[in-house]
Amino acid sequence: MIYKGVIERYREFLPVSSKTPVITMYEGNTPLLRAVNLERRLGLQSIELYLKCEGFNPTGSFKDRGMTVAVSKAVEEGAKAVMCASTGNTSASAAAYSSRSGLKCIVLIPEGAIALGKLSQAMIHNAEVVAVRGNFDTALNLAREICEKYPVTLVNSINPYRIEGQKTASFEIVDSLGRFPDYQFMPVGNAGNITAYWKGYKEYQKVKHSDCLPKMMGFQASGSAPIVLGKPIKNPETIATAIRIGNPASWKKAVEARDESGGVIDTVTDKEIITAYKLIAGTEGIFVEPASASSVAGLLKYVKKGYFSEIKSKETVTVVCILTGHGLKDPDRAIKSVRMPKVVSANLKSVLKVIRL
Ligand SMILES: *Cc1c(COP(=O)(O)O)cnc(C)c1O
């Protein structure tokens, strides 16, 4: 059967009917790759590590899973326009799905704080992009207010259809593995995604009659870790712009996911994020954006802390790290994290001297 996106694949779990016009770009069905090199690097024989490569979605992030449902429902409900506040990927996805559906798309971004790749996506898909002098949280408040007063559909993750679509990633993980993972490491920003995964796992547990659910291990950047600190942050800071959020919309749900699953929500520093970012690219060939690397940064931190030391030598545990977005979204960060190419004269001797074969 030809793959036709998350709505067709998981229709019975989603709030759609035969009347819903499906706006899709065949999102989802992303690779779950075994990370043998990283396993070796972690030095634990007992961990079977998988990477869920969400950067392989049509616009380069997991946001497409939620957007296909949110935009399809907006069309079904007769909307003329959708709107979002965004650190970048939501706007890229909203703009792409809107252009495909014929809806107008309005995007509020925090001025100067979104990666160039994401901005270029929103713009080329004809969204009305407005840069607000303020951070993400301010932009989201404005978007919410506008959508309350005008006939515009908000497609941030407070739109429940977004969460519904995003939960399909947990179904895919279970379908690929043939079982539930033991641990899931992932970034936490506005906290919609951890909410969606946990909802998905719980729903699938009922269908699959499984008694196993993963522990949800969420990671915020240490300069923008409101859930860890227990209070909103006025001026969140981190190089991982996709999780630079001071007052997460799904805060309560994220805490529920953590507590019900017996997991944690913790911090990783920007330095730890960059180390993991380079490690994923350099050992597994997967180029992710900085925010995505906080899942692996979190895993490294917890391995170092001895979190897994109680696993008996014969047991193995299955760990999935969610790689939320593609590295090409933020090429500036890659360039800043490595040495620039050496420039040499155009002759064999000069090239050979540098490449040291
Ligand atoms: C949106 C996003 C996140 C954060 O997800 P939340 O649902 O806001 O917690 C992390 N990484 C990337 C690449 C994203 O686009």
Side-chain angles (χ1 to χ4, degrees):
M1 208 173 65
I2 299 167
Y3 181 76
K4 289 203 173 149
V6 298
I7 293 182
E8 292 308 341
R9 173 87 194 269
Y10 294 112
R11 181 173 272 281
E12 72 263 40
F13 299 96
L14 296 172
V16 293
S17 73
S18 55
K19 290 195 197 73
T20 311
V22 177
I23 312 298
T24 179
M25 289 193 281
Y26 298 176
E27 60 296 309
N29 198 25
T30 55
L32 182 72
L33 298 178
R34 179 87 185 259
V36 188
N37 300 319
L38 274 177
E39 280 172 15
R40 248 181 247 130
R41 196 59 81 94
L42 294 171
L44 288 181
Q45 268 83 49
S46 46
I47 290 183
E48 213 174 279
L49 177 61
Y50 293 87
L51 305 173
K52 181 69 170 160
C53 302
E54 289 290 280
F56 290 43
N57 275 296
T59 76
S61 84
F62 71 83
K63 300 297 198 299
D64 295 339
R65 294 179 183 276
M67 208 55 74
T68 181
V69 182
V71 170
S72 297
K73 292 302 284 186
V75 173
E76 182 179 2
E77 288 161 9
K80 293 284 173 284
V82 298
M83 181 168 192
C84 64
S86 178
T87 60
N89 282 331
T90 298
S91 61
S93 186
Y97 281 80
S98 297
S99 66
R100 200 164 169 79
S101 70
L103 292 178
K104 181 182 166 69
C105 178
I106 308 151
V107 167
L108 298 188
I109 55 166
E111 189 196 17
I114 95 167
L116 207 58
K118 306 175 187 181
L119 181 60
S120 68
Q121 287 178 287
M123 290 169 66
I124 201 74
H125 295 304
N126 294 330
E128 183 79 61
V129 181
V130 184
V132 178
R133 288 195 199 98
N135 59 29
F136 170 81
D137 305 286
T138 324
L140 181 57
N141 287 338
L142 284 167
R144 283 176 114 145
E145 200 179 327
I146 291 166
C147 291
E148 268 163 31
K149 290 191 181 141
Y150 297 88
V152 181
T153 303
L154 189 67
V155 292
N156 279 99
S157 58
I158 39 187
N159 178 327
Y161 299 135
R162 281 274 312 278
I163 304 291
E164 291 301 309
Q166 283 173 212
K167 78 187 178 188
T168 59
S170 53
F171 302 163
E172 286 179 16
I173 290 173
V174 175
D175 288 341
S176 306
L177 286 174
R179 61 182 187 276
F180 286 73
D182 299 302
Y183 298 87
Q184 172 163 309
F185 285 71
M186 65 187 299
V188 174
N190 216 19
N193 210 29
I194 191 168
T195 301
Y197 270 100
W198 185 238
K199 186 169 196 288
Y201 280 127
K202 285 196 295 184
E203 286 179 16
Y204 229 39
Q205 185 193 32
K206 290 206 188 96
V207 187
K208 299 279 169 191
H209 309 290
S210 165
D211 51 10
C212 176
L213 280 171
K215 292 192 192 320
M216 303 300 285
M217 313 288 283
F219 290 86
Q220 302 196 290
S222 54
S224 60
I227 300 178
V228 181
L229 295 176
K231 58 172 200 293
I233 294 178
K234 260 237 160 69
N235 298 304
E237 275 306 335
T238 169
I239 50 124
T241 49
I243 53 171
R244 192 169 176 238
I245 290 169
N247 191 12
S250 302
W251 188 321
K252 258 182 63 193
K253 289 271 169 61
V255 169
E256 275 170 33
R258 177 195 70 191
D259 295 343
E260 287 174 23
S261 72
V264 302
I265 296 180
D266 202 344
T267 59
V268 282
T269 63
D270 279 5
K271 203 169 153 226
E272 288 169 321
I273 290 173
I274 290 297
T275 301
Y277 170 70
K278 292 166 74 174
L279 194 62
I280 301 161
T283 63
E284 298 293 352
I286 305 163
F287 187 20
V288 300
E289 65 168 287
S292 309
S294 54
S295 57
V296 172
L299 176 61
L300 292 171
K301 177 172 172 168
Y302 271 63
V303 166
K304 226 191 241 167
K305 262 174 53 164
Y307 184 78
F308 295 97
S309 61
E310 279 169 24
I311 308 168
K312 301 191 187 63
S313 57
K314 277 193 217 105
E315 269 180 68
T316 56
V317 294
T318 306
V319 175
V320 176
C321 287
I322 311 299
L323 303 181
T324 46
H326 203 287
L328 286 174
K329 298 264 189 181
D330 193 358
D332 290 347
R333 183 52 59 189
I335 300 284
K336 279 186 196 139
S337 310
V338 294
R339 261 177 294 141
M340 291 303 281
K342 297 191 180 94
V343 181
V344 300
S345 307
N347 61 63
L348 198 60
K349 197 174 149 216
S350 308
V351 175
L352 284 173
K353 200 171 151 198
V354 167
I355 62 180
R356 282 178 294 166
L357 285 175

